[in-house]
């Protein structure tokens, strides 16, 4: 029962079927591309190819973005990737806009024009922070559900005149489920009714104990409107990033996640990708979910053409053949043939899943009629 076809195993490792067959032969296992091998053999093969195994269920062997690890000495420190969450109207969008304006590089370049799905701020010290510009926990959970773990730190925005509200609590749950550290931004401190102590006390009810109350949750009083304490919030994010010791290997084929993708008239599919490891370059062939493409152009978060993008950099990419979904994982591959092979396999699997789901619902319908 715990089995996987050689074809499927090869696809999940992004290796050639013929190479997997050869490796199997070396182990004394004769199998054709369509034959199944048991999970233990699969695990050995995965090790042979230098990938690591993640068994999603007993019968499932998955190799993904986490799968292929980079040697320690190849890892360099990278900027944190931050997602802003919180209750509606507590100031997520305002805070994202205010933080964007603290970017020293943007001001040097004469203003901020472009809006893509994510942006990067360079602080006066030269340190960088990447923000996912799709606030709200819907985007966060949707991306996680599709396999992308892009967020290193969640900024939980709580309006100081309103306190903890239902969506604040949901956001806390999502961040905890994802094991992503939370930094609290107590916003709207400029308002007459602002009471940050009340917010800190209310956080206690959700096991978030701020430092002043003896815990380890960092909280910063800000005003997105009056633009106060934004530098303090950014320093706090960098402090948390340092604790997390975020690193990536920039010297490898790029992999990361789709933040958003849409079709634009005259440009084709335009995707915002977040590079998580490696460096994405113009001309690279990549697979994103069930779609593939060749990077025709790379644009930074201000719409300027760039040649390459390293870890934690958000980029707009032109050249996709179809439109992937937010949260799809992307990986650079060696050839167009490889890209086609992987996407065909994934499409096939999607259809199988849909068929299985359809089968299940008819069964449920049958039973509900009994
Ligand atoms: P979101 O729904 O969380 O994205 O909230 P918005 O950023 O759209 O803000 C909701 C409302 O609160 C808007 O009218 C903002 O102008 C206002 N707002 C946001 N931040 C502040 C702040 O720091 N002070 C004050 N006084 N108003 C704010
Ligand atoms: Mg908003």
């Amino acid at each position: 029962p715990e089995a996987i076809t050689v074809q499927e195993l090869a696809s999940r490792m992004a290796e050639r079927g013929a190479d997997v067959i050869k490796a199997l032969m070396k182990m004394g296992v004769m199998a054709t591309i369509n034959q199944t091998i048991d999970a233990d053999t699969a695990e050995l093969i995965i090790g042979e190819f230098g990938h690591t195994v993640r068994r999603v269920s007993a019968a499932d062997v998955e190799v993904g973005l986490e799968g292929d690890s980079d040697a320690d000495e190849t890892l360099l420190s990278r900027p944190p990737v931050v997602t802003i969450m919180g209750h509606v109207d507590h100031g997520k969008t305002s805070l994202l806009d205010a933080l964007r304006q603290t970017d020293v590089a943007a001001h040097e370049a004469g203003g901020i024009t472009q809006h893509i799905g994510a942006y990067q701020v360079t602080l006066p010290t030269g340190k960088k922070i990447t923000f996912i510009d799709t606030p709200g926990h819907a985007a966060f959970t949707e991306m996680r559900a599709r396999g992308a773990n892009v967020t290193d730190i969640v900024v939980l925005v709580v309006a100081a005149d309103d306190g903890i509200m239902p969506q604040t609590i949901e956001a806390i749950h999502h961040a905890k489920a994802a094991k992503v550290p939370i930094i609290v931004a107590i916003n709207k401190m400029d308002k007459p009714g602002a009471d940050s102590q009340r917010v800190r006390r209310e956080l206690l009810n959700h096991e978030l104990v701020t430092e002043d109350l003896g815990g380890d949750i960092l909280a910063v009083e800000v005003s997105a409107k009056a633009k106060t304490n934004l530098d303090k919030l950014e320093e706090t994010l960098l402090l948390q990033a340092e604790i997390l010791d975020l690193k990536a290997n920039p010297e490898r084929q790029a992999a990361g996640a789709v933040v958003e993708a849409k079709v634009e008239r005259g440009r084709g599919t335009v995707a915002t990708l977040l590079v998580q490891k490696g460096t994405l370059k113009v001309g690279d062939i990549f697979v994103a979910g069930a779609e593939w493409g060749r990077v025709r152009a790379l644009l930074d978060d201000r719409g300027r053409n760039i040649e390459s993008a390293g870890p934690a950099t958000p980029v707009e990419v032109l050249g996709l053949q179809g439109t992937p979904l937010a949260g799809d994982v992307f990986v650079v591959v060696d050839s167009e043939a490889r890209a086609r092979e992987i996407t065909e396999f994934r499409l096939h699997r999607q259809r199988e899943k849909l068929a299985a789901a359809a089968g299940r619902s008819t069964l449920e319908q049958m039973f509900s009629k009994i």
Side-chain angles (χ1 to χ4, degrees):
E2 292 192 25
I4 183 170
T5 68
V6 173
Q7 171 73 68
E8 186 168 342
L9 179 62
S11 290
R12 289 195 196 185
M13 295 193 296
E15 300 287 352
R16 284 175 30 200
D19 293 336
V20 174
I21 291 173
K22 261 188 239 160
L24 279 164
M25 274 166 67
K26 275 197 211 149
M27 288 170 50
V29 179
M30 299 297 164
T32 64
I33 192 84
N34 293 317
Q35 266 173 342
T36 54
I37 54 173
D38 61 76
D40 292 332
T41 309
E43 194 164 336
L44 287 173
I45 289 292
I46 292 165
E48 267 314 283
F49 282 89
H51 301 290
T52 48
V53 182
R54 183 161 59 92
R55 284 197 192 193
V56 171
S57 69
D60 204 353
V61 180
E62 188 95 31
V63 179
L65 191 58
E66 319 279 341
D68 44 350
S69 50
D70 290 296
D72 274 354
E73 61 271 20
T74 65
L75 300 178
L76 295 180
S77 148
R78 64 160 177 88
V81 179
V82 176
T83 296
I84 299 195
M85 296 205 268
H87 194 71
V88 64
D89 282 347
H90 279 198
K92 297 179 293 293
T93 305
S94 307
L95 190 58
L96 273 163
D97 287 344
L99 288 164
R100 193 198 308 266
Q101 282 164 28
T102 65
D103 183 6
V104 291
H107 289 289
E108 282 161 17
I112 303 149
T113 49
Q114 189 80 2
H115 273 234
I116 68 171
Y119 66 88
Q120 199 172 57
V121 164
T122 305
L123 304 184
T125 56
K127 299 229 169 169
K128 292 173 161 58
I129 305 173
T130 302
F131 291 94
I132 302 289
D133 198 0
T134 46
H137 54 246
F140 180 81
T141 44
E142 198 179 297
M143 288 187 72
R144 282 228 313 141
R146 305 204 64 77
N149 279 317
V150 300
T151 305
D152 300 306
I153 304 168
V154 163
V155 168
L156 182 70
V157 181
V158 186
D161 61 337
D162 205 22
I164 308 287
M165 298 302 278
Q167 288 166 327
T168 319
I169 299 168
E170 277 179 42
I172 293 170
H173 289 159
H174 289 308
K176 282 188 175 172
K179 297 191 170 64
V180 175
I182 294 172
I183 286 178
V184 184
I186 305 176
N187 189 34
K188 307 202 186 184
M189 286 305 291
D190 60 291
K191 285 189 115 180
D195 183 353
S196 73
Q197 286 312 315
R198 183 182 132 213
V199 173
R200 287 170 187 268
R201 276 196 309 276
E202 288 177 350
L203 286 168
L204 288 174
N205 298 332
H206 306 280
E207 284 88 46
L208 294 182
V209 188
T210 52
E211 277 195 314
D212 53 309
L213 299 174
D216 56 2
I217 295 292
L218 304 172
V220 185
E221 276 83 356
V222 298
S223 166
K225 191 180 175 190
K227 300 192 169 49
T228 51
N229 248 1
L230 299 175
D231 50 350
K232 178 88 185 299
L233 177 59
E234 288 169 333
E235 275 167 34
T236 308
L237 286 167
L238 288 174
L239 181 70
Q240 182 67 58
E242 225 165 273
I243 295 166
L244 294 171
D245 194 24
L246 305 168
K247 287 181 171 162
N249 172 9
E251 306 284 337
R252 50 162 286 163
Q253 288 187 327
V258 177
V259 176
E260 62 175 22
K262 54 184 184 289
V263 179
E264 280 183 22
R265 194 186 294 264
R267 296 176 88 200
T269 294
V270 182
T272 299
L273 304 184
L274 178 75
V275 179
Q276 293 181 278
K277 46 169 80 172
T279 297
L280 185 65
K281 304 185 185 83
V282 171
D284 277 349
I285 296 165
F286 67 104
V287 173
E291 306 295 341
W292 72 277
R294 180 191 291 272
V295 180
R296 201 169 73 226
L298 281 179
L299 297 99
D300 69 9
D301 52 2
R302 269 170 277 139
R304 298 174 305 186
N305 276 291
I306 51 174
E307 282 301 308
S308 65
T313 312
V315 274
E316 202 171 57
V317 176
L318 304 188
L320 270 157
Q321 302 288 317
T323 311
L325 300 167
D328 274 338
V329 169
F330 86 84
V331 240
V332 169
V333 295
D334 287 328
S335 66
E336 191 176 312
R338 189 80 199 100
R340 286 182 190 278
E341 195 183 347
I342 296 172
T343 49
E344 271 160 29
F345 166 77
R346 289 185 177 169
L347 277 173
H348 174 72
R349 267 228 309 199
Q350 273 180 8
R351 280 191 213 107
E352 272 180 353
K353 274 190 190 160
L354 281 175
R360 212 167 30 245
S361 62
T362 41
L363 262 181
E364 278 159 14
Q365 280 161 13
M366 274 171 63
F367 280 117
S368 67
K369 279 182 192 143
I370 295 171

